[in-house]
Amino acid sequence: MLVHRFPFHVFHRVLRYSTKPLSIVSHINSSSHQRKNKHTQQQRQPTSMVTTLVVATTSDPASINPANALLAMPSWQPGPLFQDDMKSFVNEGVRVLLHGKSIVVEDDLDKRWEEITGEVVDEVIFFSKHTAVSNKPALTVHPIGVPHLREGDVPPQGGKPGWAALPNPRMGPWLRHLRKLAQSHNLVPEFEITLEATHHGPLTNKPTMFLEIGSTEDYWKRQDAAQVMAQLVWDGLGLGGGTDLGNWSRENEKKKVLLGIGGGHYAPRHMDVVLKDDVWVGHLLSGYSLPMEDINQSKGQTNVEIGGTWRESIKAAYEATKSAFPGGEIIAHLDHKSFKGWQRNAITGFLAEQNIKIGKANNFIEN
């Protein structure tokens, strides 16, 4: 059933610079109340369909606005009843799930969806706001996890200590497509298009990424930014009839995967590599995710155990990346200038012990 059609060229003109929220969800939802019948109950029967779960929260304009823009595109239908305080919508193999809580607190949505619907979740994508001290406008893509936290630490934004989610293999190809979309919608150079380092929750079990709009309330409400994020998901998942982007199972032959180690939150050295065509990216560990205790290392002493959870963080990020990219060659890419000499030596030594290859930028470019 075709729920809603809206000519894209008209839709874009309406959204340009607008901050007025869309009401597409209520339109689709109203039809769901008219469909509490045998067909709806058939939808709830367990199936073996492999699905993508796209999650948004109504409490965040940078989350619900892209979700509404996505739902304004053709062929969405009311989805199965998941739980009373959530709504779902379906389109081919994609499920949009809306809830009203913080985006980082609803743990195990993928597992819970599988248990209730019988469908198999292949990946999870979250819409969210981005905050930054600089307040600069940005559209970001990033993996999630808090692998550097110790047991007993309380994660400030979800997740659990020592955990790194499986990074979604689509991140690299989608970042490059996001850049093209933002340019075509005249959001560049106003908005920065960037990766972010691995951080926050919620807990997930399948390959996951966050798509964020930043960095202040005015930008969170920008409908042109929401439309670009929605178009990214529409194109990236092949909902418009094209080929989906970043399908690792289809495109993984002899592919190398970047594991970013070091640098700032926006991973500029790693970004330079990932923006190249055909580069895949897994976890990105910034300096704050590599806590290293300086036990007289800076004074020239050697053979001293370096404390901190940096080893555990690297290992968790590597294992998660390896699991998310079966058959891929995971290569560590270091932001060398972000480390002191003793830190760099410790990290390269540990990577060698773990048989993790270290590569430079040209190692990721296919010949």
Side-chain angles (χ1 to χ4, degrees):
M1 170 183 163
L2 183 64
V3 172
H4 190 83
R5 288 191 180 275
F6 204 132
F8 177 77
H9 66 284
V10 176
F11 192 48
H12 175 62
R13 287 203 301 269
V14 171
L15 293 180
R16 181 65 177 164
Y17 295 115
S18 171
T19 60
K20 184 178 179 180
L22 300 169
S23 57
I24 303 301
V25 170
S26 59
H27 170 74
I28 299 177
N29 190 53
S30 65
S31 68
S32 70
H33 289 295
Q34 300 168 15
R35 294 160 53 94
K36 300 277 187 179
N37 52 26
K38 182 177 179 180
H39 173 71
T40 304
Q41 293 182 5
Q42 286 175 345
Q43 280 187 315
R44 297 173 189 168
Q45 296 303 312
T47 71
S48 59
M49 176 175 284
V50 176
T51 63
T52 294
L53 201 59
V54 179
V55 183
T57 173
T58 58
S59 66
D60 171 10
S63 182
I64 190 58
N65 286 352
N68 280 338
L70 181 62
L71 292 171
M73 296 176 183
S75 301
W76 290 97
Q77 300 178 14
L81 179 64
F82 178 59
Q83 61 185 58
D84 290 342
D85 59 346
M86 297 189 187
K87 296 182 177 70
S88 72
F89 306 90
V90 304
N91 190 341
E92 299 180 12
V94 181
R95 310 290 182 257
V96 169
L97 184 61
L98 307 181
H99 65 76
K101 299 180 181 178
S102 166
I103 199 70
V104 299
V105 301
E106 283 284 1
D107 289 335
D108 298 316
L109 282 172
D110 47 2
K111 182 179 179 181
R112 289 154 56 193
W113 181 270
E114 291 181 337
E115 291 173 348
I116 291 173
T117 68
E119 296 179 338
V120 176
V121 176
D122 192 51
E123 60 186 330
V124 190
I125 300 166
F126 291 88
F127 288 130
S128 179
K129 66 183 177 183
H130 170 68
T131 59
V133 175
S134 68
N135 291 333
K136 291 182 179 179
L139 304 178
T140 79
V141 180
H142 74 85
I144 63 172
V146 283
H148 62 293
L149 295 185
R150 299 178 186 272
E151 189 69 32
D153 288 346
V154 178
Q157 293 180 304
K160 65 179 179 180
W163 164 82
L166 299 180
N168 194 316
R170 298 189 192 273
M171 289 189 299
W174 280 32
L175 175 74
R176 296 187 288 272
H177 190 60
L178 174 59
R179 197 182 195 195
K180 293 176 183 177
L181 287 173
Q183 289 170 341
S184 68
H185 285 70
N186 298 316
L187 292 183
V188 176
E190 181 184 14
F191 282 76
E192 182 180 5
I193 314 303
T194 183
L195 290 168
E196 290 184 76
T198 298
H199 65 302
H200 69 63
L203 293 176
T204 59
N205 307 277
K206 301 298 176 72
T208 301
M209 66 174 159
F210 263 62
L211 306 176
E212 300 189 357
I213 300 173
S215 299
T216 65
E217 187 170 0
D218 286 343
Y219 292 113
W220 299 337
K221 294 180 178 179
R222 279 276 290 269
Q223 294 293 351
D224 50 352
Q227 177 62 31
V228 164
M229 285 306 207
Q231 194 69 42
L232 174 64
V233 173
W234 181 264
D235 294 347
L237 296 178
L239 286 172
T243 303
D244 63 320
L245 305 176
N247 187 323
W248 175 256
S249 64
R250 186 181 62 235
E251 306 172 21
N252 66 357
E253 185 177 357
K254 298 180 180 178
K255 293 294 186 179
K256 300 169 183 176
V257 182
L258 182 148
L259 173 66
I261 298 179
H265 182 71
Y266 298 99
R269 303 293 182 193
H270 310 312
M271 269 281 294
D272 291 343
V273 179
V274 177
L275 286 175
K276 305 292 185 182
D277 287 341
D278 298 323
V279 175
W280 301 82
V281 60
H283 274 291
L284 299 164
L285 298 178
S286 66
Y288 62 75
S289 290
L290 298 164
M292 306 177 78
E293 297 173 4
D294 180 4
I295 308 177
N296 296 318
Q297 292 293 322
S298 59
K299 298 179 182 179
Q301 294 188 23
T302 59
N303 298 321
V304 178
E305 181 73 15
I306 299 173
T309 58
W310 58 279
R311 295 180 188 84
E312 291 82 358
S313 186
I314 291 174
K315 193 168 183 179
Y318 172 78
E319 293 296 338
T321 301
K322 185 177 180 180
S323 295
F325 292 87
E329 182 182 9
I330 314 303
I331 303 176
H333 182 259
L334 275 63
D335 184 339
H336 288 278
K337 293 183 178 180
S338 69
F339 296 113
K340 297 177 181 178
W342 63 270
Q343 294 173 316
R344 185 167 55 249
N345 291 339
I347 289 172
T348 55
F350 178 71
L351 292 173
E353 291 174 7
Q354 298 295 310
N355 295 314
I356 300 173
K357 183 178 178 180
I358 301 173
K360 296 183 179 180
N362 57 9
N363 295 127
F364 296 92
I365 309 301
E366 295 295 320
N367 294 324

